[in-house]
Amino acid sequence: MTQIPSPAEELRLLDAELRQLDARRTVLLTRRAWLVHALRPPVWTPPPVPATRRPEATAPGVQNVLLLLGGILLTIAAVAFTLVGWGHLGITGRSLVLGTVTLAALGAPVPLLRRGLRSTAESLAGLGLALTVLDAYALYAVALPRTDGLGYTAIASAVLAVVWAAYGLTVGAVHRTTDAGTAATGIPEPSAAGAGQQQATTGTGPRAADTDRGRQAAGTGVRVPLRLPLPAAVVAAQFPLLLWAVAAAAGAHAITAALLVTAAFDAVLALRLPSKSVRVVAAAGAYGLGGWGTFAAGWLSWTAAGPSAAARAAALLLLAASIALTAAWGAPKPGVATGTATAGGLITVVAFGGVLRTSLPGEWTVPGHLACGIALLAVVRTGLPEPVRRGVALASGCVQALAVAWALPVVVITLLGPVGAVDPVWSGAPATARDAVAGDLPWPPDAVTAPLVLALVAAVLIVAGRAAEWRPRALVCALTLTWATVFVLPATLELPYLVGLSAHGLTTVALLVYARRTHPAPAPLVLALLTSLSLAFLALASEPATLTVLAALAALFAAAALRPGPGAVTAPASLGYATALACAAGASLGLRPQHIALLVLVVPVVAALSAARVDEVPTRVSVEVAGAVAGLVAIALTVADPAMLATVLALCGVIAAGTAVREDRRPVGYAATALFVMAAWVRLAAWGVGSPEAYTLPVTVPALLVGALRRRRDTAVSSWTAYAPGLSVTLVPSLLAAWGDAHWPRPLLLGAAALAVTLLGARHRLQAPLVLGGTVLALDALHELAPYIVQVVDALPRWVPPALAGLVLLALGATYEQRIRDARRVREVLGRMG
């Protein structure tokens, strides 16, 4: 019979078979990998190619550098020949040499262009242009030495400009005719192959130059193959008018006109010519000479002594403005057009404003310029291109911003000046509003028209922003400027003091009414608050005015706080003015500061009662903060009187405790406790009590009560959290005092208290009282036994302490394991306590 193995034996056999199979599989996989590697053909890896060194400069770059250096050297040689070797030849020889060299240099580019050597042609053309300048100098030195140098230079520069422009156009025409003839006959140029090879290697062929040289010059349809002659002609054209005006001693206005006319000529070239290089040079001349001429015309307008001189300067400025606006109209880029139009608008304002400055009194200078700037807005509604209209509008905005900046010092002085009038308080009402505002500060000159300037800009913002996307921002700015106008008007016009107070008060009322209609609107509220602060400081000059204004402001802001929305600003403002009114009323009644504090405490009471009935969270928080600030003011008033300070602190604690009754203000109870404790401390200090227990027990008792209540509500609270702070406040200072006390009552009482705390901790199995009470009890006993221990130590021989230390160490070593076990048991017992 076949013996059937048991399940355990069968499982063992299966595990053995599986292990053998895994070992066999590993051997077979290893053999397979070796066979695959042996049968794979070898892969040929090419040898690394050494890195080729690339040239650091391109062939066209090397060519251009060589040609440029060659042209420069030839030019230097020609200058040296003209200046040094000129005197060794006769007139005929001189003329023949310079003429021959100049004609050769100017004529050489034509055959070079036929062969495609454009860079070489450019270099020789530049040499020829330089030689023409030397020819002009040679002509002056030989034939016209007695003529005026500046006049001759002006004529020569004009002639050179014409000659260079004609030369550039002529070479282009000849080159075009040659190309047309070649295309008609079908016969290529003799060196076409060589030229093509050079074009392929250097990149200087016609296709590479089509982007600029292929443009048509002056609208004639003639292609300009050379870049240099036409830009050089534009450069030479910058000097004739200016040098002619200087040579003729024409005066500042004529010289400025010459600069502007030249700039206009450059602007036309920059806008009309298709060649990029010519446009760049012409634009640089237009900006440079135009800016120079505009600055000169502006200086002439600023220094003009009468209307006639200002009118002549204005004519020059208008010429500059017309150039700028025309250039902006034809500018291809919107950004350039907007910037140029802005400059043109500003120049126009300066032109007309200069005439008004010399015709009107000095205080009307800024309003006159502002009127001119506002008049520019009429252009915005015309059919001009959008970038031009945007630039003109921007220029008008710049003028208005500068006008507002001019009026800003008056607003600042009116707003901040009353702060300097606080000392001395109630010194007497001044005669005018300006005396109350400025005081000893210098009033800005010609500031009588500042309200007019602010009002005009505000009106412009209201009108211009009616249908614009930025209408809300425009209305805010207009409101601010209107407020500034009304705000500075009494001081500017030197109205009576009471009229100034009334104007500020009415402005505050109007702003609060406007804020109620447009809530939520922070701007009217902020302006109303600033006006009321200035009004309050202005009223400090007179006692009746102070009481009346503070009472009115407190009532006004309290009434505004009744409406939802602005209460977060108006309610604390009302409480602040009520605090100031309490201080002023107490001072008016002749009360001392510590007694005035009792009046001030009415404000925190009102704040606490009001906050309990307010639903809006921001308003409630701001009211409570204002009440807290009023309480701090009351405390500050009683610092010099400790007895009254204790009373005020206690009253503040009562107010805080009343606030903590609310469910959402329970944390205020900590502040109430702190106030009560400080009140007790101040009272004890006023009585001359020096015992630390008198100061610590008022803290310990409430802390222990709070800890007990907390443990009753939450059993997971540790005794260290509930009782350790309260016990430490009294035990630690008392222990420190007992160590420095030579008498026995304090250590005895401290030991009794520590023993009671320890027993309570052991009775209720609380860790914190047990550890703290035991530690204090041990240290207190050590303090009492210290004198006797010292006596015993002094009576013992000196070998006794080392012997005792050795015995202690032996005992500790002998019972180490037992002590560890005991320590663990003690820790477990303490851990099971609360």
Side-chain angles (χ1 to χ4, degrees):
M1 294 179 64
T2 304
Q3 184 178 1
I4 300 176
S6 62
E9 182 66 19
E10 185 177 2
L11 179 62
R12 186 184 63 79
L13 293 175
L14 290 176
D15 290 340
E17 291 292 336
L18 289 174
R19 283 194 297 270
Q20 292 178 1
L21 290 176
D22 291 339
R24 183 61 179 170
R25 178 179 175 82
T26 302
V27 173
L28 293 177
L29 288 175
T30 304
R31 181 63 179 174
R32 181 182 183 280
W34 184 87
L35 292 173
V36 170
H37 180 72
L39 294 175
R40 182 177 298 170
V43 179
W44 179 80
T45 303
V49 179
T52 59
R53 181 175 297 177
R54 300 180 62 183
E56 297 181 357
T58 61
V62 174
Q63 164 194 295
N64 294 333
V65 170
L66 294 177
L67 293 175
L68 179 62
L69 289 176
I72 292 174
L73 292 177
L74 289 176
T75 304
I76 294 174
V79 172
F81 170 76
T82 304
L83 298 179
V84 178
W86 185 257
H88 300 290
L89 299 174
I91 297 177
T92 305
R94 301 169 187 173
S95 303
L96 289 175
V97 170
L98 269 182
T100 303
V101 174
T102 302
L103 292 176
L106 293 176
V110 176
L112 291 175
L113 288 174
R114 293 175 180 174
R115 296 177 176 271
L117 303 176
R118 297 183 179 274
S119 298
T120 307
E122 292 279 3
S123 299
L124 291 179
L127 176 62
L129 299 181
L131 289 175
T132 56
V133 176
L134 295 177
D135 291 338
Y137 169 75
L139 179 62
Y140 173 76
V142 174
L144 304 170
R146 298 182 181 275
T147 58
D148 181 30
L150 287 176
Y152 178 79
T153 305
I155 297 174
S157 59
V159 173
L160 288 176
V162 174
V163 169
W164 290 350
Y167 171 70
L169 296 176
T170 303
V171 172
V174 172
H175 180 64
R176 184 187 179 190
T177 303
T178 304
D179 290 344
T182 303
T185 58
I187 302 175
E189 296 181 0
S191 57
Q197 183 179 1
Q198 182 181 5
Q199 294 166 12
T201 56
T202 63
T204 58
R207 180 172 297 178
D210 278 346
T211 58
D212 184 39
R213 299 192 195 97
R215 297 182 180 272
Q216 296 182 355
T220 60
V222 179
R223 296 185 179 272
V224 181
L226 296 178
R227 293 183 178 180
L228 189 58
L230 290 181
V234 175
V235 172
Q238 308 301 309
F239 303 101
L241 285 178
L242 177 61
L243 294 178
W244 172 80
V246 174
H253 290 80
I255 294 175
T256 304
L259 290 171
L260 294 176
V261 170
T262 306
F265 172 72
D266 292 333
V268 172
L269 294 182
L271 294 174
R272 296 298 180 183
L273 294 184
S275 178
K276 182 178 180 181
S277 57
V278 177
R279 292 202 312 272
V280 169
V281 175
Y287 281 113
L289 295 181
W292 186 9
T294 302
F295 177 78
W299 179 258
L300 292 174
S301 176
W302 180 259
T303 56
S308 60
R312 287 186 293 169
L316 295 174
L317 288 172
L318 290 177
L319 175 60
S322 63
I323 295 172
L325 293 174
T326 304
W329 198 334
K333 296 182 179 180
V336 176
T338 301
T340 310
T342 302
L346 293 175
I347 296 170
T348 304
V349 172
V350 173
F352 288 103
V355 177
L356 294 177
R357 181 183 61 83
T358 57
S359 304
L360 299 175
E363 58 268 17
W364 292 96
T365 299
V366 176
H369 284 79
L370 177 60
C372 297
I374 295 174
L376 288 178
L377 295 177
V379 181
V380 178
R381 300 186 180 276
T382 61
L384 293 175
E386 175 63 23
V388 178
R389 290 189 282 116
R390 189 186 306 116
V392 174
L394 183 59
S396 177
C398 291
V399 174
Q400 297 178 52
L402 291 175
V404 172
W406 171 80
L408 189 61
V410 180
V411 180
V412 173
I413 292 175
T414 307
L415 182 62
L416 301 180
V419 179
V422 174
D423 190 21
V425 178
W426 296 349
S427 58
T432 63
R434 181 180 296 184
D435 296 334
V437 167
D440 297 332
L441 296 176
W443 190 256
D446 299 334
V448 68
T449 56
L452 177 61
V453 169
L454 297 172
L456 287 176
V457 178
V460 170
L461 287 173
I462 293 174
V463 175
R466 285 182 301 180
E469 297 179 356
W470 44 273
R471 183 175 182 271
R473 296 191 296 271
L475 291 179
V476 172
C477 294
L479 174 64
T480 304
L481 293 175
T482 305
W483 165 81
T485 302
V486 179
F487 188 69
V488 303
L489 194 60
T492 304
L493 300 180
E494 295 186 272
L495 299 178
Y497 172 68
L498 293 179
V499 175
L501 291 180
S502 302
H504 281 62
L506 293 176
T507 302
T508 305
V509 173
L511 288 171
L512 289 177
V513 172
Y514 182 76
R516 287 179 57 185
R517 294 183 177 180
T518 60
H519 71 282
L525 292 177
V526 173
L527 295 177
L529 190 59
L530 290 176
T531 309
S532 64
L533 287 173
S534 178
L535 175 61
F537 280 107
L538 281 175
L540 292 177
S542 173
E543 180 178 350
T546 301
L547 297 175
T548 303
V549 167
L550 291 178
L553 289 177
L556 178 63
F557 279 95
L562 297 177
R563 299 281 297 181
V569 177
T570 56
S574 175
L575 294 175
Y577 288 124
T579 304
L581 177 62
C583 295
S588 178
L589 295 174
L591 300 178
R592 301 177 64 183
Q594 57 268 29
H595 298 137
I596 296 175
L598 298 177
L599 294 177
V600 174
L601 283 179
V602 177
V603 177
V605 174
V606 175
L609 296 176
S610 302
R613 306 183 63 179
V614 174
D615 296 331
E616 297 181 357
V617 176
T619 303
R620 185 190 313 154
V621 173
S622 62
V623 167
E624 291 173 347
V625 171
V629 172
L632 292 177
V633 172
I635 293 172
L637 290 173
T638 59
V639 171
D641 190 350
M644 188 59 71
L645 176 60
T647 304
V648 171
L649 287 172
L651 293 176
C652 290
V654 171
I655 298 172
T659 304
V661 174
R662 293 159 44 195
E663 186 67 27
D664 58 337
R665 289 295 182 267
R666 293 298 171 82
V668 183
Y670 297 105
T673 304
L675 289 171
F676 284 130
V677 170
M678 286 190 291
W681 286 354
V682 172
R683 176 61 66 181
L684 291 173
W687 287 342
V689 177
S691 177
E693 289 80 9
Y695 295 91
T696 57
L697 285 176
V699 179
T700 297
V701 174
L704 292 178
L705 292 177
V706 172
L709 292 176
R710 187 174 180 184
R711 277 184 58 83
R712 179 176 296 180
R713 294 179 179 178
D714 187 2
T715 57
V717 176
S718 173
S719 62
W720 288 101
T721 303
Y723 301 121
L727 293 174
S728 301
V729 168
T730 295
L731 292 178
V732 174
S734 298
L735 180 62
L736 296 177
W739 274 76
D741 194 351
H743 304 284
W744 62 269
R746 182 185 299 276
L748 179 61
L749 294 176
L750 177 62
L755 179 60
V757 171
T758 304
L759 294 177
L760 287 175
R763 172 67 180 80
H764 296 284
R765 303 180 67 182
L766 297 176
Q767 192 178 97
L770 181 62
V771 174
L772 290 176
T775 303
V776 173
L777 180 61
L779 293 176
D780 185 64
L782 180 63
H783 172 265
E784 293 301 313
L785 296 176
Y788 302 103
I789 294 174
V790 171
Q791 293 178 3
V792 172
V793 171
D794 291 339
L796 293 175
R798 294 190 176 182
W799 57 267
V800 175
L804 293 175
L807 291 175
V808 170
L809 291 176
L810 289 176
L812 290 176
T815 59
Y816 183 74
E817 185 177 0
Q818 182 64 33
R819 301 304 181 191
I820 292 177
R821 188 179 299 113
D822 295 341
R824 289 176 179 174
R825 290 177 180 177
V826 172
R827 186 178 62 184
E828 292 175 357
V829 171
L830 293 176
R832 287 194 294 270
M833 295 182 180

